[in-house]
Amino acid sequence: MTDKPPRTPIPMVVIGGYLGTGKTTVLNRLLTDTQGRRVAVLVNDFGEINIDAAMIRARSDDVIQLENGCVCCSIGDKLVQALADIGEREERPDLLVIEASGVSDPMRIAQVGMLDSAYRLNAIVVTADVSRLGENLNDPLVGDMVRQQLSAATAVILTKCDLVSEEGVLESTEVVKHMASRAAIFRAEHGAIPLSVFVDAPPLEATPQPRGSDLTAHDGRWKKQSTNASLHSSITSFAYRTTGRFHKQQLRQVLRELPAGTLRAKGIVQVHGKERAQEFHVVGGRVRVGDAQVAEVADVVEVFESVLVFIGCLTAADEAQGRSGLDAARH
């Protein structure tokens, strides 16, 4: 019997955030505009009746419930089994989204998922209710948990911005930047954020937005607004191609020090001392490198060529810094 060829990992996104910050709203908006992708959802609610799953099931027929507890502790075994079941499907989803309970650590959930080779982490999305952010952070019972959730994020979604002043939103943004220094930060209206936060997808509008522009979501589309540009930068990407070989440790260092706002990076590279091309993925400063599959190399790059792609809220200066670091890692 011949072994089955390796399958492409399923992109995985964890949505976290404290109780009532809008996780389910963000997830429901995602499910209304998947652009034809098959999305499986794992939902955990803290209690015997999973209300979130009931709300989400109206928009997706692939919802798996994990009831009665924090997804990363009391029902950890159920999470592992659910992940294994999805990964073994003949027709697997194009994206797996795990909505964590409001009292769980999204980083620990992501770590459980990353132990299964059937998955590749695409993002840890954490929602933050700006109308209650200060209250939650100062709460002696939940403050540390909220800080831990935010520190794990690769993308933070500011919710309920309409309930506070513009000055209050800006103050909350600075607080979040301090706690989630590497994360891309978005302001959501009614839960709408770019699909690119979850998967590699074009912007919602066909017309590309200018770099560094200040945009806000409205009815599933993006419009210009006159607020501070730090609240939202358009998601951009750039590619780096070379026929040169990289020094592995120097490349790792460059990838660990990508600019704040980088959602993810990926690529297939040639490195010194390795005959086989290396595949890498970066999410939130976490670098994963391993031998690339021959079929994937043939689909993406020419022989002996390296191709790297970077996605996020990146400025022209960020791109120039990234290219300079990559050039140096080849010498």
Side-chain angles (χ1 to χ4, degrees):
M1 178 182 293
T2 59
D3 293 334
K4 291 183 179 180
R7 305 171 74 183
T8 302
I10 302 167
M12 176 184 67
V13 172
V14 178
I15 299 182
Y18 187 56
L19 298 166
T21 56
K23 297 183 299 297
T24 303
T25 301
V26 168
L27 179 51
N28 279 331
R29 286 301 297 263
L30 164 68
L31 295 174
T32 63
D33 185 25
T34 62
Q35 298 182 11
R37 292 173 175 83
R38 297 187 305 275
V39 180
V41 183
L42 277 170
V43 184
N44 173 230
D45 208 359
F46 196 79
E48 294 183 2
I49 302 175
N50 196 326
I51 300 299
D52 280 357
M55 296 171 63
I56 294 164
R57 186 170 286 105
R59 292 177 171 84
S60 174
D61 58 2
D62 196 358
V63 179
I64 298 94
Q65 295 182 215
L66 299 171
E67 294 108 339
N68 200 25
C70 169
V71 76
C72 57
C73 48
S74 62
I75 59 169
D77 290 343
K78 293 182 180 179
L79 171 62
V80 172
Q81 186 58 54
L83 291 171
D85 292 343
I86 295 170
E88 291 172 0
R89 291 180 183 177
E90 189 64 31
E91 186 173 341
R92 301 197 298 182
D94 301 311
L95 173 67
L96 171 69
V97 180
I98 304 175
E99 186 196 5
S101 79
V103 293
S104 59
D105 180 359
M107 172 60 74
R108 288 184 60 191
I109 297 168
Q111 289 172 336
V112 171
M114 287 188 291
L115 291 174
D116 191 327
S117 61
Y119 299 94
R120 181 181 65 241
L121 182 65
N122 255 26
I124 299 175
V125 179
V126 176
T127 52
D129 176 355
V130 296
S131 70
R132 296 177 56 198
L133 181 61
E135 176 186 344
N136 290 337
L137 289 172
N138 292 323
D139 189 313
L141 298 178
V142 304
D144 286 344
M145 178 178 58
V146 174
R147 279 184 280 274
Q148 185 179 48
Q149 291 173 342
L150 288 169
S151 68
T154 64
V156 176
I157 311 303
L158 304 179
T159 63
K160 307 184 184 181
C161 297
D162 58 318
L163 301 181
V164 300
S165 66
E166 186 63 30
E167 181 181 2
V169 175
L170 293 172
E171 289 176 355
S172 293
T173 302
E174 292 304 314
V175 170
V176 169
K177 281 184 177 179
H178 178 71
M179 295 181 184
S181 59
R182 301 189 65 90
I185 301 173
F186 301 89
R187 180 197 293 209
E189 187 169 316
H190 306 302
I193 57 173
L195 183 60
S196 303
V197 172
F198 296 88
V199 293
D200 299 339
L204 287 173
E205 287 190 338
T207 303
Q209 299 293 345
R211 281 185 188 277
S213 63
D214 189 22
L215 308 169
T216 186
H218 180 69
D219 294 332
R221 296 181 66 78
W222 296 98
K223 66 177 182 179
K224 191 85 170 173
Q225 61 172 359
S226 58
T227 54
N228 190 295
S230 67
L231 288 175
H232 184 95
S233 296
S234 57
I235 295 180
T236 60
S237 66
F238 72 90
Y240 181 100
R241 305 180 80 105
T242 179
T243 55
R245 286 181 175 264
F246 289 95
H247 295 278
K248 189 172 183 178
Q249 293 307 315
Q250 292 181 31
L251 176 61
R252 276 185 174 273
Q253 190 64 28
V254 171
L255 296 176
R256 288 194 187 100
E257 296 175 354
L258 291 174
T262 303
L263 286 169
R264 54 190 170 273
K266 58 187 66 179
I268 296 173
V269 298
Q270 307 288 342
V271 300
H272 291 290
K274 292 279 188 179
E275 293 186 7
R276 189 167 179 176
Q278 301 293 290
E279 177 184 351
F280 77 87
H281 297 273
V282 185
V283 175
R286 292 172 285 276
V287 183
R288 190 171 182 175
V289 180
D291 289 343
Q293 302 299 324
V294 175
E296 293 180 358
V297 174
D299 289 341
V300 179
V301 301
E302 301 293 336
V303 177
F304 304 126
E305 185 180 33
S306 297
V307 175
L308 304 88
V309 178
F310 303 86
I311 303 165
C313 299
L314 304 171
T315 65
D318 291 334
E319 179 177 341
Q321 176 186 336
R323 291 185 181 279
S324 176
L326 293 170
D327 287 342
R330 291 169 36 221
H331 301 296

